[in-house]
Amino acid sequence: PLLPTNGEAVTIFARIDDPDGIMGAAVRWHKDESAVTNTAMMAACGGGWYSATIPAGQTSGALVGFQIDAIDAADPAATATFPADPSRECLYRYGEPRTSNTLGVYHFWITQNKIREWAARKLDSNSPVDMAFVYNNDRVVYFAGAQFGGSPFHSTGVGKNPINNGNSIDYKIDFPKDDMVLDDDGMVLPTVGNKGNDVTAVKEQLAYAWVRRLGLPNVHRRFIHIYANGTQQNSYRVYEDTEKPNSSFLRHWFKEG
């Protein structure tokens, strides 16, 4: 499951290919902040896919990081690891809220080490911090990058902690070029109004609806919920996923350019 419940077993799938064939593959996993590393051997399941199961028994709120090692059948054998950068890892988390409504739901999973890295840097840093991004209950994007969005005033009062449900925080998310979301390599996730000051949450949406009816260029916006390591963000409980006014926006509205 993409959003495993407390104690549920998790099966990890990977497509592995090598011209010399695959001798074996394994998943190395550990709970966040734990020095104990576990190994689950992967089994071939057809079509170049391999799978391994991390056993049930993990507690709610546990964040698990994993990497995949593979060895080919050449002589001498060659090995490879995903991700190739040993400082990076794939993530999943137990006990995430599962919501069912008409609004989109985004989940952020961030290790404690990355949270400390985020908190130690300058408030207006433009360097994204590694995280896993989950779109609804449908898809996970590993190695997404996150940072505070907008001006520094949109992240004040949070102590530079990216997880805080009592303050309004704007986010900017970057995606790998080969794993984009909604056909874009990034998104801006602002609170509604200015720092969440629109208690109706519809004033800006209404203004853009008028612009759309007039057929004028406008950025697409939609309401969403955000959970960061299981904590719902924003005191008003709603965000906007906002199209970036970038080159893609210009190509859409000004095709002659």
Side-chain angles (χ1 to χ4, degrees), residues 14-189:
R15 192 166 188 174
I16 306 174
D17 180 64
D18 188 280
D20 295 308
I22 304 299
M23 179 67 71
V27 174
R28 285 183 290 112
W29 63 276
H30 70 100
K31 290 194 289 187
D32 191 32
E33 299 282 86
S34 172
V36 178
T37 299
N38 306 276
T39 301
M41 300 305 298
M42 304 191 81
C45 47
W49 288 94
Y50 290 75
S51 67
T53 298
I54 294 177
Q58 308 305 319
T59 57
S60 181
L63 182 65
V64 172
F66 68 90
Q67 298 170 316
I68 297 175
D69 299 317
I71 182 170
D72 68 10
D75 186 15
T79 60
T81 297
F82 178 84
D85 182 347
S87 68
R88 310 182 88 177
E89 57 188 351
C90 305
L91 301 172
Y92 72 87
R93 188 177 183 276
Y94 290 88
E96 283 287 301
R98 295 184 179 183
T99 60
S100 177
N101 53 48
T102 57
L103 302 183
V105 180
Y106 298 166
H107 298 263
F108 303 165
W109 296 333
I110 314 174
T111 66
Q112 290 301 311
N113 184 51
K114 290 300 180 181
I115 291 175
R116 288 190 290 267
E117 177 185 320
W118 192 322
R121 64 193 193 150
K122 292 183 178 179
L123 188 64
D124 56 353
S125 173
N126 287 322
S127 299
V129 174
D130 263 5
M131 70 164 189
F133 174 92
V134 180
Y135 185 92
N136 290 335
N137 189 22
D138 304 315
R139 177 186 173 197
V140 60
V141 178
Y142 300 118
F143 321 127
Q147 63 193 69
F148 290 133
S151 77
F153 295 102
H154 286 222
S155 53
T156 54
V158 302
K160 296 197 293 185
N161 189 334
I163 300 176
N164 191 307
N165 68 341
N167 292 274
S168 296
I169 306 173
D170 290 358
Y171 297 98
K172 178 179 179 294
I173 311 298
D174 296 319
F175 300 112
K177 297 293 185 182
D178 61 350
D179 203 4
M180 298 192 295
V181 174
L182 300 177
D183 199 32
D184 206 338
D185 62 358
M187 59 176 56
V188 178
L189 305 176

Side-chain angles (χ1 to χ4, degrees), residues 216-237:
L216 299 175
N218 63 91
V219 296
H220 178 72
R221 314 168 75 93
R222 69 168 186 150
F223 291 127
I224 60 166
H225 293 297
I226 295 178
Y227 292 87
N229 281 7
T231 300
Q232 188 170 16
Q233 302 299 284
N234 183 14
S235 56
Y236 293 117
R237 305 294 187 254

